[in-house]
Amino acid sequence: MSDNTLVAVERLSLRRLGLGARRVVAVAAFLALWQAAPSLGWVDPAFLSPLSEVLETWWRLAIGGDLWTNIESSLHRSLSGFAIAIAIAVPLGLLIAWYRAVAGVLSPLLAIFLNTAAVALLPVFTLILGIGDTSKIAIIAYACFWPVLYNTISGARDVDPLLIKSARSLGLPHLKLFSKVIVPAALPTIFTGIRLAGAASMLVLITTEYVGAKAGLGYMIISAQFNFQIPEMYAGILTVSIIGVAFNYLLLFIESKVLRWKA
């Protein structure tokens, strides 16, 4: 490895280290403000519990097992809806992108449902599918479906035409054209949609668990609010944030492994 390459690698490492340090400082400052604001009387501690009290409550709930029961229920609903959305949206997006007849038939319907918020349809899903897990998984799948679908369509349509012509000139069959050329080229955009869907799955999950749930992080948060157990409420909110961030980093890790050729 040449000296210039070593210098470039060192500079890149220093930039990444600096960026990581700034992120840690930003998070630490936020947490310090959270602790200081109620402790110093800047806000009423009855409505914003100090971070130390929230962490103590979180640990008590974790030791008691209640927290893990709620996490398990939420993850089951969220991941089920997320997986269903990907399984349907990716193939459908590829069909819409490459078959004008399919796009012509489905585009008007998709435009209508795209502009209908998932939360607005929650009463409909509840009436049709009941208040159990089925309706909650269905509404999560609905919310996750759209970012995956439209990013799949966009990624497939933006594949370099010269790449497709070259593959066709080599006599590549239609199915292999999809699997070897179109899908790999569209994967970066598809993964963007999948990450957006991951965020949507957590947002909609909490809303669905406010209604008719007997377990889950959303149920835990709204129950604590109704009973004025404010530290428990913030412990639930903090758990949702941690899971959301962890899920996003997990998807980024999977993307980096799948798209290793892009690096």
Side-chain angles (χ1 to χ4, degrees), residues 75-262:
L75 286 180
H76 165 69
R77 295 164 184 150
S78 178
L79 295 177
S80 296
F82 179 72
I84 290 169
I86 293 174
I88 298 173
V90 172
L92 183 59
L94 293 172
L95 286 173
I96 292 172
W98 284 94
Y99 293 98
R100 292 186 178 181
V102 177
V105 171
L106 294 181
S107 290
L109 285 174
L110 295 177
I112 292 171
F113 285 110
L114 173 65
N115 291 284
T116 305
V119 176
L121 293 176
L122 179 57
V124 178
F125 279 83
T126 303
L127 284 172
I128 296 173
L129 301 174
I131 62 173
D133 280 0
T134 303
S135 63
K136 293 172 175 55
I137 291 172
I139 196 72
I140 292 167
Y142 177 87
C144 295
F145 176 81
W146 302 106
V148 179
L149 177 71
Y150 277 92
N151 276 274
T152 300
I153 294 172
S154 176
R157 285 180 174 171
D158 289 343
V159 177
D160 189 347
L162 291 176
L163 193 63
I164 297 171
K165 287 181 180 179
S166 299
R168 283 176 174 165
S169 67
L170 294 172
L172 207 64
H174 207 60
L175 286 177
K176 283 195 174 181
L177 177 66
F178 260 86
S179 62
K180 300 294 185 182
V181 178
I182 296 171
V183 173
L187 271 178
T189 309
I190 293 173
F191 264 105
T192 299
I194 289 174
R195 290 203 310 275
L196 292 172
S201 71
M202 293 303 299
L203 291 172
V204 177
L205 166 72
I206 301 306
T207 304
T208 63
E209 290 181 340
Y210 285 168
V211 180
K214 295 183 179 179
L217 293 171
Y219 166 79
M220 173 182 166
I221 292 168
I222 201 70
S223 176
Q225 180 198 9
F226 284 150
N227 293 294
F228 211 71
Q229 298 171 322
I230 303 305
E232 285 83 351
M233 183 187 76
Y234 283 108
I237 294 171
L238 182 62
T239 304
V240 171
S241 300
I242 292 171
I243 291 175
V245 171
F247 191 33
N248 182 63
Y249 276 108
L250 175 61
L251 292 175
L252 285 171
F253 174 77
I254 294 172
E255 180 180 359
S256 68
K257 295 300 180 182
V258 173
L259 302 181
R260 191 177 298 173
W261 52 268
K262 188 183 173 185

